Amino acid sequence: MEDLGNLIQGFAVALTWKNLLFMMVGILLGVLIGVLPGLGGANGVAILLPLTFSMSPTSAIIMLSCIYWGALFGGAITSILFNIPGEPWSVATTFDGYPMAQQGRAAEAMTAAFTSSFVGALFAVIMITFLAPLVARFALRFGPPEFFAVQLLTFCSFVGMGREPPVKTIAAMMLGFALAAVGLDTVTGQLRMTFGFTPLLQGFDFLIAVIGLFGLGEILLTMEEGLSFKGKGGKINPKIVWQTWKTLPQFWATSLRAVLIGCWMGVTPGGATPASFMSYGMAKRMSKNGAKFGEGQIEGVVAPETAAHAAGTSALLPMLTLGIPGSPTAAVLLGGLLIWGLQPGPLLFVEKPDFVWGLIASMYLGNIAGLLIVLTTVPWWAAILRIPFAIIAPVIVVICAIGAYTVHNNIFDVYMMVVFGVLGYLFKKLKYPLAPLVLALVLGDMAETAFRQSMLLSKGSLSIFWSNPLVGSIVALALVLLAWPLISRVISALRAKPQAAAPA
Amino acid sequence: MTTPEGRARGDIATRWVELAVALLFTLIGAIVIADSVRVGYTWAEDGPKAGYFPFYIGWILVAAGAYVALETIWRWKKLDGVTFVTRDRLKPVFLMLLPTIAFVILVGWLGIYVAAFIYIGGFMLWQGRYGWLPTLLVSAGLPIVLFLVFELWFLVPLPKGPVESLLGY
């Protein structure tokens, strides 16, 4: 029960007035980011990261993770009221949330969405509380080959579980690795791929890529789709909240499934978006009201929201324990940790228990605060969305530019942001996934170092990745996931054959 | 996004964009390989050389790009009629992108505050068709708020130009 003691100590860290204030600010900023198109969890945190450099790491991570929770909550508001998902993971929420709003049940839908988000996050935090120390202790035995194997697993699971074409996932990922290699090679001290061009010396920062790909890219897409925000009013009152809460427990089975899907998809880097779709699809198949999904079923709001939050939260588990983020936003938070001089990974639990447990405690508090804040402030956010896009769009671009500049105080980064923005637009439309690109860009150096160290240990032989049962089984699992698109094709072909060829 | 019907004049076909992006991937892969060969991709006295890891990344990139390119060419006939973006939807994209490019160029020259004033103001007047007063309020108000937050409150310096230096910053 040593961990429980740590957790209580963590609450003591998180419950100072200063940290509570940062928590509130974080959640308000997060909801704002969540409702505005073009600003999302990942690039919102990326833009605000430089502002936290002067804070203590604990306060900073509390604020930044609260921005993340806020963004997760905020995405639901626009989905339900405006039928416009503020975030990719709230697309599935529009399916039943918007019909509910059209029927005048917006308050009910939003209460259900926020509450399920809260439930999903709560279960994921509980899982983190109990599982993270175990994983961290286990991972202390990891050497370079094991770390590389886990990273291989991370990237292979993108290929195996992604919704995008596998080849495009691989291409996007490799582009990330290639961009990560640009600049000074820390091992040999040689310059790679700079071609004598000075601004490239420090390489491509993934924060710039995140701001461009997710921020500007999203704005360009929004312009193309020509959205006009005409939504339903966002009035909500305690009576409806209470009535909705009374109906929610009957969906416990849906919630439980959603939590499980979410936690699984968050830990393996599937991410919140596929988790919400999977959960919605599963709920539709399993529910007795399945046929009515899409017409305004409250279950159709509960399922994706619970899963998205469970996934978004549990993405922090591998980030903290292994230094491998489960989502782009977790990757940005990881980048923040590195900037504050904290090396995420198993040692973090030993060396900085204050920080780790303060963060975990803040996840509990942040989600409770988040639920209360969004329930009370919904009408304001709905009002913000009525500001026309001709004002919002340039303001968001200016904020993105500031975010890009402040990373290194370098104007070249602002130009790069525009390039990444155009790429983000093209990639999104051609179904190249952005998350593996960003993760490869973040983890590129780490993966390369782990690979090189492994090769040094084995004198250049790949057999080191089968040298003990642990690393062998991780690599085997990774290869299965990598080949999964092929395997599943073969399986479905085999299944189809007996029927076609008549029983033998 | 994709319509089975034929494209109107001026619409952009998905297959061309698909092919161009795939070739871009292949090209980047080739650059990575070439540079890895330059810095050395083999084994040195003390371990792998600098190009050891990127060399393979480059090859996978080339393979993935070539695969998508060949697949696109293979399905070229079938992809006829799939539209990437129609002409009338491309217009707003460029109406966003071109001012944004102008804005970042202005940032390097005039600093971010003045550039933001011009960019937001121009956008609101030209695309939002707002009157002078609301335009002035937003386009001047935001840079002032940003200045207070970044330069004075958080002490984060942002790019400044001749106007700021005239004012003593």
Side-chain angles (χ1 to χ4, degrees):
Chain A
M1 283 294 97
E2 180 200 341
D3 297 333
L4 225 53
N6 281 332
L7 182 64
I8 291 166
Q9 216 151 26
F11 273 109
V13 174
L15 272 171
T16 61
W17 280 113
K18 205 178 79 183
N19 285 344
L20 280 177
L21 181 74
F22 283 135
M23 216 179 274
M24 297 291 235
V25 173
I27 286 174
L28 288 174
L29 281 173
V31 180
L32 179 65
I33 284 167
V35 298
L36 290 176
L39 286 175
N43 59 11
V45 177
I47 288 168
L48 293 164
L49 195 59
L51 289 186
T52 62
F53 288 166
S54 54
M55 297 183 191
S56 81
T58 314
S59 304
I61 190 89
I62 286 177
M63 187 171 116
L64 291 176
S65 59
C66 281
I67 294 174
Y68 186 24
W69 315 141
L72 283 164
F73 277 115
I77 300 178
T78 53
S79 301
I80 293 169
L81 293 181
F82 296 87
N83 201 20
I84 293 162
E87 300 294 336
W89 55 70
S90 31
V91 173
T93 311
T94 60
F95 299 160
D96 276 274
Y98 186 64
M100 281 181 82
Q102 281 177 317
Q103 297 156 16
R105 292 156 68 209
E108 205 183 319
M110 280 191 289
T111 310
F114 298 148
T115 315
S116 348
S117 306
F118 171 73
V119 171
L122 188 68
F123 274 98
V125 182
I126 293 173
M127 183 199 69
I128 291 181
T129 309
F130 290 99
L131 222 54
L134 296 179
V135 176
R137 243 165 267 158
F138 182 66
L140 275 175
R141 296 186 304 173
F142 279 18
E146 283 82 4
F147 268 112
F148 182 76
V150 172
Q151 286 174 335
L152 190 67
L153 180 65
T154 306
F155 287 107
C156 289
S157 61
F158 270 119
V159 180
M161 326 237 291
R163 298 164 57 85
E164 284 84 4
V167 186
K168 291 188 172 176
T169 309
I170 293 174
M173 200 182 287
M174 290 305 142
L175 182 65
F177 277 118
L179 291 176
V182 174
L184 193 72
D185 173 31
T186 44
V187 181
T188 59
Q190 264 179 310
L191 288 176
R192 294 192 296 202
M193 288 176 264
T194 57
F195 306 104
F197 192 48
T198 331
L200 283 180
L201 286 183
Q202 14 180 313
F204 288 98
D205 197 296
F206 77 99
L207 292 171
I208 312 299
V210 165
I211 295 170
L213 291 171
F214 292 94
L216 196 56
E218 200 62 45
I219 298 242
L220 292 177
L221 270 179
T222 312
M223 285 308 275
E224 186 202 309
E225 284 155 13
L227 297 181
S228 59
F229 292 93
K230 288 194 194 86
K232 307 283 163 203
K235 284 210 186 76
I236 202 163
N237 66 53
K239 206 176 134 212
I240 298 179
V241 173
W242 183 243
Q243 277 171 354
T244 314
W245 276 353
K246 276 197 290 192
T247 63
L248 287 180
Q250 55 176 305
F251 306 122
W252 64 272
T254 306
S255 301
L256 190 66
R257 275 194 298 269
V259 165
L260 291 178
I261 294 173
C263 288
W264 170 251
M265 296 294 280
V267 172
T268 63
T273 311
S276 62
F277 280 105
M278 262 177 79
S279 173
Y280 184 86
M282 189 89 114
K284 190 173 175 173
R285 229 175 301 148
M286 313 276 272
S287 164
K288 43 182 192 297
N289 298 325
K292 285 193 206 144
F293 268 48
E295 296 168 16
Q297 285 294 312
I298 203 161
E299 247 183 304
V301 175
V302 171
E305 280 294 311
T306 313
H309 263 228
T313 310
S314 49
L316 295 185
L317 173 76
M319 190 274 268
L320 281 173
T321 54
L322 300 171
I324 294 172
S327 74
T329 314
V332 177
L333 289 174
L334 177 112
L337 296 187
L338 292 174
I339 292 169
W340 299 312
L342 297 168
Q343 180 67 50
L347 277 174
L348 194 64
F349 280 74
V350 183
E351 287 170 352
K352 301 270 180 198
D354 268 16
F355 172 81
V356 171
W357 291 102
L359 170 62
I360 293 178
S362 84
M363 292 184 195
Y364 285 96
L365 298 171
N367 274 298
I368 296 171
L371 179 64
L372 296 176
I373 290 176
V374 285
L375 277 176
T376 45
T377 55
V378 159
W380 300 349
W381 305 118
I384 282 182
L385 274 171
R386 292 203 170 75
I387 302 175
F389 202 63
I391 301 177
I392 291 282
V395 169
I396 291 175
V397 173
V398 169
I399 291 170
C400 287
I402 292 175
Y405 177 80
T406 46
V407 175
H408 290 300
N409 287 341
N410 192 342
I411 191 80
F412 177 72
D413 287 341
V414 183
Y415 305 147
M416 279 317 297
M417 175 196 81
V418 178
V419 175
F420 277 116
V422 175
L423 283 182
Y425 171 74
L426 291 175
F427 286 2
K428 261 254 173 78
K429 294 213 68 174
L430 293 176
K431 295 194 170 58
Y432 286 92
L434 299 180
L437 198 170
V438 171
L439 251 56
L441 191 48
V442 180
L443 293 176
D445 283 339
M446 268 190 266
E448 184 178 351
T449 309
F451 184 71
R452 274 188 183 172
Q453 284 170 347
S454 312
M455 289 298 102
L456 275 175
L457 288 173
S458 69
K459 301 205 166 48
S461 159
L462 284 174
S463 65
I464 190 163
F465 295 118
W466 284 271
S467 59
N468 68 52
L470 179 61
V471 69
S473 48
I474 302 175
V475 169
L477 186 60
L479 293 180
V480 170
L481 277 172
L482 180 66
W484 189 249
L486 287 176
I487 296 172
S488 63
R489 210 181 277 180
V490 171
I491 291 175
S492 56
L494 285 179
R495 267 202 200 140
K497 231 181 207 163
Q499 287 163 4
Chain B
M1 251 187 315
T2 51
T3 46
E5 307 94 56
R7 272 171 290 110
R9 268 176 70 88
D11 292 355
I12 295 177
T14 299
R15 54 187 186 186
W16 283 108
V17 186
E18 188 83 79
L19 189 64
V21 172
L23 291 178
L24 178 72
F25 272 107
T26 316
L27 177 72
I28 294 174
I31 294 173
V32 173
I33 296 171
D35 194 75
S36 303
V37 171
R38 181 185 65 85
V39 294
Y41 62 95
T42 50
W43 201 262
E45 289 288 299
D46 53 346
K49 285 187 189 166
Y52 188 70
F53 187 73
F55 182 70
Y56 298 102
I57 298 293
W59 275 112
I60 304 175
L61 201 49
V62 167
Y67 182 94
V68 177
L70 288 176
E71 196 192 25
T72 310
I73 293 170
W74 183 251
R75 295 172 52 215
W76 195 257
K77 281 263 163 58
K78 256 193 214 159
L79 286 171
D80 190 22
V82 183
T83 311
F84 183 74
V85 59
T86 58
R87 195 193 179 103
D88 59 320
R89 290 326 307 166
L90 190 64
K91 207 177 133 198
V93 175
F94 273 100
L95 285 180
M96 183 78 226
L97 184 60
L98 295 178
T100 302
I101 292 172
F103 164 65
V104 296
I105 293 170
L106 277 181
V107 171
W109 180 37
L110 290 173
I112 200 152
Y113 300 110
V114 180
F117 170 70
I118 298 171
Y119 174 59
I120 299 174
F123 213 89
M124 283 178 68
L125 279 179
W126 179 40
Q127 297 201 13
R129 310 213 175 278
Y130 285 91
W132 281 100
L133 190 67
T135 305
L136 203 64
L137 278 177
V138 178
S139 61
L142 187 86
I144 291 171
V145 172
L146 290 175
F147 184 80
L148 295 176
V149 171
F150 283 88
E151 303 283 333
L152 301 183
W153 190 16
F154 279 98
L155 300 175
V156 177
L158 296 181
K160 287 181 282 290
V163 180
E164 286 88 347
S165 58
L166 212 69
L167 293 168
Y169 280 96

